[in-house]
């Protein structure tokens, strides 16, 4: 059993290293006359040891680490499904590893949301204690943020980008495997926080609370810094891959729009993720070494944290949304059977978002007490972001216009993105404007707004992508009827839940608090019932995925008759993707343009499997 | 060194642009790291403006010279291996490692003798910035040691020396960070 030995090896070396780290720290502390046990310090050092041990044990030692000491490397050649449990460098394996891992985290975090709504169904509920509520709410937040950051990038980015540009793998395959195998550490560390007291500060971890609270905070910091490292390394990998690994003829003007979205996202991840890491690093130093970044009595300033934190965490929403918008445009053009409208403007939109995202962070801080002179400029830059976002919408609407829409599940989810993200954009204006934000800040209006943008925008795009690429990844077709049930159920339940949520927000109901005024009882009960329905809408999805992966009808190489390169190879594609290297001639989305061919295989003996449909309706 | 890796896994053919990819990957890594350092420097100016507490100017100048000199020896080593002059390369690496260790001890001495404590904003910023930088110096020394050990065992030549060049690039990067940190911590104003 390769899978069992691989994972057991990783866990074993990881745990042993963790305890060695703790023991060394304790011994050194005792030797220098301190109390041997300091939870924060010992756990921090132990974590670093354990992280290295786990990565080496899972397979990085054999295929990478030995090289540093001049020894021969080797890789476990595990067969079939067991590859998914080894340090496998195949980008398709890593893509599926990411996707499955984050779907599991998504459903766990979703169950936590059910807990939150159970508590909030009644104004004086005692379902959760205040401490438990804080822990559940914080875990829901950070786990969903992780899903939003990494599910589309790690899943579809890894799976689809190299095939779409005609490459055989990512530029740094071992780095790619490393990026993935950091994720389980993050997940496990976050899941152990309840044993050290439970988080109580939301996902944002503002000081001074996060400096003085229980030791679960340290685990949280370490987990997220690790996750940031994973994010930065995969961003770097995508940039180099997209610059250097494109097939002959795949010029920048012919890149599929999803690849463009991933390219801009990768820059965001590379340039901004440090903000979260540095902010949390300062908290670790404050807790472990007693530094006084945030202690006003010693010359520190808690607002400093918010600046550094939001310097990442606003661009982070574009790290979440941009790849989602890429999937969205990709699906819209394939299922409208038309060339993508205003392709260059859409790319310009992505670039504009990349440029502007770094100068809007302080709109999260209008009520924090930062200097007043920042309010005006940040208001203006924030509202300016609607211009590049508008270009992306222009592209989508122009593509749908007069198209022959093929309303299969991926397209339905993509169209839902259009509706939901527009709603999130409109409510965003009220939060970007200082006067309205001062009233709405920290209320359920904000909760409704960011669920519309992130869930409505990105998670719907995630499901669009899952249904779109499912036949490519598994070689089997999902059940369309179940998928349509899932779509309509999820779309309606989502909108009922979160559209209603604006109202208690405007009434002033504070987010992150386990109780609320009795007068808002009825509307909250309604929201809770809708939220349970939203939660239940994933049951047909899970069944559909599991059943179709095992027993679904064989899909064939190109069930959507799409033109991009990933559909020109078998499903799932062979190792290294292309039996003969592709050459790109025309634009990927020239549906209905006579004589246009995107991918050619000049050295192949036989013509490429299932040439893409030139035009016409999809039915 | 995370990004200094040739193609792994399937490995039966090497991408024609592999060398350029490695270099760009490493540069992107530096770009990304420089933002960490920039944020820490920003923290220092945010909390304390350009105010400087009592730092040891002589020691600061001394360790700066040591670190800059180590970049010269690292460059000598890299140029030497590019011309297959293994003995010179080996000495270059040895001197670089020695100067790096000396720098780390200099920082440790500075920490030990500092007149300010971590209980002030300047002390917090000073210990964080020098500590983060020293961590990079120490990790650089460790990686230089790995490369040196392999050089002594006969690896690397003018045709195959990417890990060697990669770590020397890293060493220059760590050096350049100090070129910004030194004035930010020692020179931006006259101590009170």
């Amino acid at each position: 059993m390769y899978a069992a030995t691989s994972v057991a090896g990783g866990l074993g070396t990881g745990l042993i290293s963790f305890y060695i780290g703790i023991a060394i720290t304790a011994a050194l502390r005792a030797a220098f006359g301190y109390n041997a046990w300091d939870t924060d310090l010992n756990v921090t050092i132990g974590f670093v040891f354990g992280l290295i041990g786990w990565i080496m044990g899972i397979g990085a030692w054999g295929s990478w680490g030995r090289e540093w000491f001049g020894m021969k490397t080797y890789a476990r050649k595990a067969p079939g499904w067991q590859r998914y449990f080894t340090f496998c460098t195949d980008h398709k394996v890593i893509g599926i590893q990411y996707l499955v891992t984050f779907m599991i985290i998504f459903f766990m975090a979703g169950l936590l949301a059910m807990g939150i709504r159970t508590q909030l169904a009644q104004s004086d509920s005692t379902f959760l204690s205040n401490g438990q509520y804080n822990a559940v709410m914080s875990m829901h937040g950070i786990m969903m943020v992780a899903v939003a950051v990494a599910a589309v990038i790690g899943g579809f980015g890894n799976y689809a980008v190299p095939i779409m540009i005609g490459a055989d793998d990512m530029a740094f395959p071992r780095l790619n495997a490393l990026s993935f195998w950091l994720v389980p550490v993050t997940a496990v560390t976050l899941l152990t926080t309840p044993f050290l007291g439970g988080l109580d500060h939301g996902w944002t971890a503002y000081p001074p609370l996060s400096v003085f609270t229980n030791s679960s905070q340290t685990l949280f910091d370490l987990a997220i810094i690790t996750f940031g490292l994973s994010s930065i390394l995969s961003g770097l990998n995508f940039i180099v891959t997209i610059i250097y690994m494109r097939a002959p003829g795949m010029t920048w003007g012919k890149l599929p729009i999803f690849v463009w979205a991933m390219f801009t996202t990768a820059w965001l991840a590379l340039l901004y993720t440090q903000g979260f890491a540095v902010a949390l690093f300062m908290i670790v130093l404050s807790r472990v070494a007693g530094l006084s970044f945030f202690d006003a009595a010693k010359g520190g300033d808690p607002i400093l944290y918010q600046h550094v934190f939001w310097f990442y965490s606003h661009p982070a929403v574009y790290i979440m949304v941009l790849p989602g918008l890429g999937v969205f445009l990709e699906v819209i053009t394939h299922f409208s059977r038309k060339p993508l409208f205003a392709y260059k403007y859409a790319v310009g939109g992505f670039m504009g978002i990349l440029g502007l995202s770094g100068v809007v962070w302080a709109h999260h801080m209008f009520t924090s007490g930062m200097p007043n002179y920042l309010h005006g400029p940040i208001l203006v830059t924030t509202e300016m972001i609607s211009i590049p976002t508008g270009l992306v919408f222009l592209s989508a609407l122009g593509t749908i216009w007069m198209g022959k829409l093929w309303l299969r599940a991926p397209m339905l989810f993509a169209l839902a993105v259009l509706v939901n993200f527009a709603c999130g954009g409109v409510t965003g204006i009220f939060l970007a404007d200082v006067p309205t934000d001062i009233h709405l800040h920290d209320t359920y209006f904000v909760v409704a707004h960011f669920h519309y943008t992130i869930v409505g925008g990105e998670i719907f795009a995630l499901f669009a992508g899952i249904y779109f690429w499912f036949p490519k990844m598994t070689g089997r077709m999902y059940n369309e009827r179940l998928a349509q049930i899932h779509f309509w159920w999820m779309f309606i339940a989502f909108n009922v839940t979160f559209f209603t949520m604006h109202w208690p927000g405007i009434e002033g109901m504070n987010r992150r608090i386990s109780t609320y005024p009795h007068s808002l009882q009825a509307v909250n009960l309604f929201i809770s019932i809708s939220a349970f329905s939203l939660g239940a809408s994933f049951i047909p999805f899970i069944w559909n995925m599991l059943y179709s992966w095992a027993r679904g009808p064989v899909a064939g190489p190109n069930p959507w008759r799409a033109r991009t390169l990933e559909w020109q190879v078998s499903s799932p594609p062979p190792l290294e993707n292309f039996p003969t290297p592709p050459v790109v001639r025309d634009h990927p989305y020239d549906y209905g343009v006579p004589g246009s061919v995107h991918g050619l295989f000049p050295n192949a003996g036989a013509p490429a499997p299932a040439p893409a449909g030139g035009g016409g309706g999809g039915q | 060194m995370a990004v200094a890796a040739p193609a792994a896994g399937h490995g039966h053919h090497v991408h024609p642009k592999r060398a350029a990819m490695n270099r760009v990957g490493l540069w992107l890594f530096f770009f990304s790291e420089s933002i960490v350092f920039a944020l820490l420097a920003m923290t220092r100016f945010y909390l304390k403006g350009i105010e400087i507490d009592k730092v040891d100017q002589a020691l600061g100048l001394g360790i700066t010279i040591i670190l800059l000199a180590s970049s010269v020896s690292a460059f000598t080593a890299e140029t030497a291996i590019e011309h297959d002059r293994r003995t010179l390369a080996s000495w270059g690496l040895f001197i670089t490692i020695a100067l790096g260790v000396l720098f780390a001890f200099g920082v440790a001495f500075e920490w030990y003798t500092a007149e300010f404590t971590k209980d002030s904003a300047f002390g917090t910023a000073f210990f964080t910035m020098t500590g983060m930088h020293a961590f990079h110096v120490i990790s650089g020394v460790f990686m230089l040691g790995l490369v040196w050990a392999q050089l002594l065992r006969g690896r690397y030549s003018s045709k195959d020396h990417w890990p060697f060049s990669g770590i020397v690039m890293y060493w220059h990067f760590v050096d350049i960070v100090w070129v910004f940190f030194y004035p930010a911590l020692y020179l931006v104003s006259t101590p009170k």
Side-chain angles (χ1 to χ4, degrees), chain A residues 27-39:
Chain A
L28 282 177
R29 280 183 68 87
F32 283 94
Y34 295 98
N35 183 4
W37 184 256
D38 172 329
T39 312

Side-chain angles (χ1 to χ4, degrees), chain A residues 339-497:
Chain A
L340 184 65
F341 181 76
Y343 168 88
K344 287 181 180 164
Y345 287 86
V347 172
F350 291 149
M351 292 290 174
I353 293 173
L354 170 65
L356 278 174
S357 64
V359 289
V360 299
W361 78 91
H363 65 227
H364 294 268
M365 299 165 60
F366 285 147
T367 61
S368 71
M370 70 174 180
N372 280 335
Y373 64 79
L374 276 172
H375 287 182
I378 294 291
L379 186 162
V380 172
T381 52
T382 304
E383 301 220 336
M384 269 166 63
I385 278 216
S386 56
I387 297 169
T389 317
L391 291 178
V392 176
F393 267 68
L394 169 81
S395 174
L397 289 172
T399 310
I400 296 168
W401 186 260
M402 305 285 279
K404 278 196 163 183
L405 303 195
W406 190 13
L407 292 176
R408 299 288 297 265
M411 183 61 165
L412 289 172
F413 276 98
L415 292 173
V417 170
L418 199 62
V419 177
N420 296 335
F421 201 70
C423 179
V426 170
T427 52
I429 294 172
F430 299 97
L431 299 173
D433 281 331
V434 180
T436 39
D437 180 65
I438 286 172
H439 174 67
L440 294 171
H441 188 86
D442 226 3
T443 65
Y444 270 82
F445 190 89
V446 178
V447 177
H449 162 73
F450 72 70
H451 279 86
Y452 258 102
T453 51
I454 303 302
V455 182
E458 195 217 343
I459 300 297
F460 273 76
L462 170 70
F463 283 107
I466 289 176
Y467 285 118
F468 180 57
W469 278 303
F470 183 85
K472 182 51 64 182
M473 291 178 166
T474 63
R476 293 175 184 276
M477 191 46 109
Y478 63 84
N479 182 312
E480 183 67 29
R481 178 192 293 262
L482 278 173
Q484 303 249 352
I485 292 172
H486 169 217
F487 168 75
W488 287 109
W489 191 349
M490 179 176 165
F491 179 68
I492 293 169
F494 168 79
N495 274 291
V496 170
T497 306

